[in-house]
Amino acid sequence: MRVPTSRRKVRDGIALNANPLWLHIEKQGRRNGAGSSVLSDVQYERRPHIPFVVWLLALAMVASFGLTGQYDPDGHQWVYYQFGIFSERFYPSSPDHYQSIDQAIAPILGHMFVHFGWPHIIMNMIAYLQAAPFVAHRIGGARFLLLFLLSGLGSAAGFILLAPHAGPAVGASGAICGVFGAYFLAVRPTPQAALADPQVRNAMLTFLGVNVLLFAFLPIGIAWQAHLGGFIVGALVYPLLAPRWRPSGPWG
């Protein structure tokens, strides 16, 4: 998710920056007799097609991008001010606060489908397609859709609570962080087993270090608060949505 580096009038445009949500997950599965890890791509070679719901959400983001002119941010600034999250507007103490929940629904849900130009949506699509197919296969299409939307709500909540005077924030990266939060717990038969595995824990810490801590200290206008909120919600929701059957994950 992105936010302007400074407040400007509408005619001056919205200053947003690239959001490289990226984490390479080492495809590591079987273990040899000595107990050390060995690389294995067998499970990935046999992986089924990308679920329909994954394509559906990707299509919704791309369609929104094209139909509302997000490829030309300076020429379509109304999109960011109508669907972007302005934290202050969610606080009753603000003179410009939302008068009803109906007014707040558009940014709370819509920010996930708004991106600031080509680099923003391309990077988010790359990250999304890294983790979304596996998680969708794990929990099913309907549950994956619920996970994505709830992670987006967590993303909005994280930004509103931790950046009360910032905005507008737009982009799907917060929801995508929620998908990654679920992904890390899905790569082992149970979430408990995933958290007990040092490899999984290290990957989670690396992901959070890049997408939260690093962006928190870099003045580049990336909403790390949204990343954190989405990740937490995705990780909390996944155990509730995970099926009782426990297939093996891409790491064994």
Side-chain angles (χ1 to χ4, degrees):
M1 183 180 286
R2 303 176 181 180
V3 295
T5 55
S6 61
R7 287 291 186 93
R8 298 180 180 178
K9 294 182 180 180
V10 176
R11 64 173 180 270
D12 293 331
I14 305 175
L16 301 175
N17 296 278
N19 181 15
L21 175 62
W22 182 273
L23 178 66
H24 173 69
I25 304 297
E26 186 179 25
K27 293 179 286 185
Q28 196 167 24
R30 297 172 298 177
R31 299 180 179 274
N32 59 22
S36 60
S37 299
V38 296
L39 294 176
S40 174
D41 291 333
V42 174
Q43 295 188 46
Y44 276 77
E45 292 172 355
R46 297 177 179 176
R47 183 173 55 185
H49 66 281
I50 296 178
F52 173 75
V53 69
V54 174
W55 288 122
L56 181 64
L57 283 171
L59 179 61
M61 286 183 265
V62 172
S64 174
F65 183 84
L67 293 175
T68 59
Q70 298 168 31
Y71 50 82
D72 179 22
D74 290 337
H76 299 81
Q77 296 179 24
W78 65 270
V79 178
Y80 307 100
Y81 282 89
Q82 181 171 344
F83 296 102
I85 295 178
F86 290 89
S87 296
E88 289 182 338
R89 300 198 66 186
F90 290 88
Y91 288 90
S93 58
S94 171
D96 193 32
H97 70 276
Y98 291 115
Q99 300 296 322
S100 66
I101 186 63
D102 295 338
Q103 296 177 348
I105 288 178
I108 287 177
L109 295 178
H111 78 275
M112 293 178 275
F113 301 94
V114 177
H115 293 85
F116 193 82
W118 288 104
H120 193 190
I121 192 170
I122 289 173
M123 293 305 299
N124 275 349
M125 285 295 99
I126 291 174
Y128 171 72
L129 291 175
Q130 281 184 313
F134 178 75
V135 176
H137 278 300
R138 218 32 159 164
I139 63 178
R143 293 180 179 183
F144 176 80
L145 179 60
L146 180 60
L147 172 76
F148 185 89
L149 294 177
L150 289 177
S151 296
L153 295 180
S155 169
F159 184 75
I160 294 168
L161 293 174
L162 299 177
H165 304 291
V170 296
S173 60
I176 294 170
C177 281
V179 175
F180 270 94
Y183 179 90
F184 290 121
L185 298 181
V187 296
R188 293 295 184 231
T190 66
Q192 294 81 2
L195 293 175
D197 190 323
Q199 183 184 2
V200 178
R201 292 201 306 270
N202 290 338
M204 293 178 71
L205 291 175
T206 300
F207 182 88
L208 290 173
V210 172
N211 291 285
V212 177
L213 293 180
L214 180 62
F215 292 152
F217 289 99
L218 294 178
I220 54 178
I222 294 179
W224 62 268
Q225 304 91 336
H227 291 180
L228 179 61
F231 186 91
I232 290 174
V233 170
L236 291 177
V237 168
Y238 173 77
L240 302 177
L241 299 178
R244 293 184 178 180
W245 52 273
R246 303 291 184 180
S248 59
W251 290 337

